[in-house]
Amino acid sequence: MKRKLFIAILCFIAVMWVLHTLSKNFMVDPSFHSFLAKKDVALTNQEIWILMIRAHILLALVALITGPVGLSKRIRVKFAPVHTWSGRIYVLSILLNFFPSIYVSFFASGGMPSTIGFLLLNTLWIVSTVLGYTSIRKKNMVQHTKWIIRSLFLSFANMTIYMIVAITHHGFKLEYGLAYSIAVWLSWMVNLLIAEWTIRRKLIY
């Protein structure tokens, strides 16, 4: 029951964040005016940046939609093809996101500290995903599950950044660039800590 409740909460959070992100970035502010107004790093080409950030967001949302599907034991056992194909789409969405992620990293608010933080985040995301995929190819279910849990929690990094910026910038009144840099670094640290806690407590597998 504890396992099912944890997965249900995780799925609910994923769906709510997907809806929030879609409405915010593709309905309320599709040109990213409010986000660009806070940027302290000059863009070499705003049109290309918007194209890349849209691709980055959409591919990340695909990962957030397909990732939790793999957590369901019922789907994995009774609907194995759904589990397999959702997993393939999940892995592919993250691999395809590599270039957009790298591109937007170099124009992140907060300058070089944020860029380095994002590059580390993207590397950890890719590596954990690839290790999860190669583990299942080797029929190592335990390692597959552990690496995919790490990958999945890293998929929530943007949500974590949003929350930390809200606390540090709006709550503690830190300058936006500094608050953003702190949030980028803490996002992958905090999310990996939660992933490891989840693994140790065996809340998903």
Side-chain angles (χ1 to χ4, degrees), residues 6-146:
F6 183 78
I7 292 174
I9 292 171
L10 200 62
C11 290
F12 177 77
I13 293 172
V15 170
M16 290 298 100
W17 186 250
V18 167
L19 293 175
H20 163 79
T21 305
L22 284 174
S23 61
K24 177 186 175 184
N25 296 299
F26 293 92
M27 295 174 65
V28 177
D29 187 17
S31 299
F32 297 88
H33 287 309
S34 61
F35 188 66
L36 287 169
K38 298 175 183 176
K39 273 199 169 295
D40 52 8
V41 177
L43 301 177
T44 54
N45 189 310
Q46 185 170 312
E47 292 180 356
I48 292 178
W49 180 86
I50 290 176
L51 178 66
M52 288 296 181
I53 196 70
R54 283 176 177 167
H56 171 59
I57 290 170
L58 287 173
L59 288 167
L61 293 184
V62 170
L64 272 181
I65 292 169
T66 54
V69 174
L71 303 180
S72 172
K73 185 177 180 180
R74 178 182 175 84
I75 291 176
R76 187 168 68 247
V77 173
K78 294 189 175 182
F79 306 97
V82 175
H83 175 84
T84 300
W85 278 102
S86 66
R88 288 172 178 170
I89 295 170
Y90 174 80
V91 171
L92 183 61
S93 67
I94 293 173
L95 293 178
L96 290 176
N97 210 342
F98 177 74
F99 184 70
S101 297
I102 295 298
Y103 181 87
V104 298
S105 294
F106 285 99
F107 301 99
S109 298
M112 190 53 65
S114 292
T115 296
I116 295 172
F118 269 125
L119 292 175
L120 285 169
L121 168 60
N122 294 331
T123 301
L124 290 167
W125 198 24
I126 288 283
V127 169
S128 59
T129 304
V130 170
L131 288 174
Y133 176 75
T134 54
S135 294
I136 199 60
R137 296 289 294 178
K138 295 175 182 176
K139 310 297 182 183
N140 191 333
M141 186 63 184
V142 174
Q143 287 302 313
H144 166 70
T145 304
K146 289 180 179 180

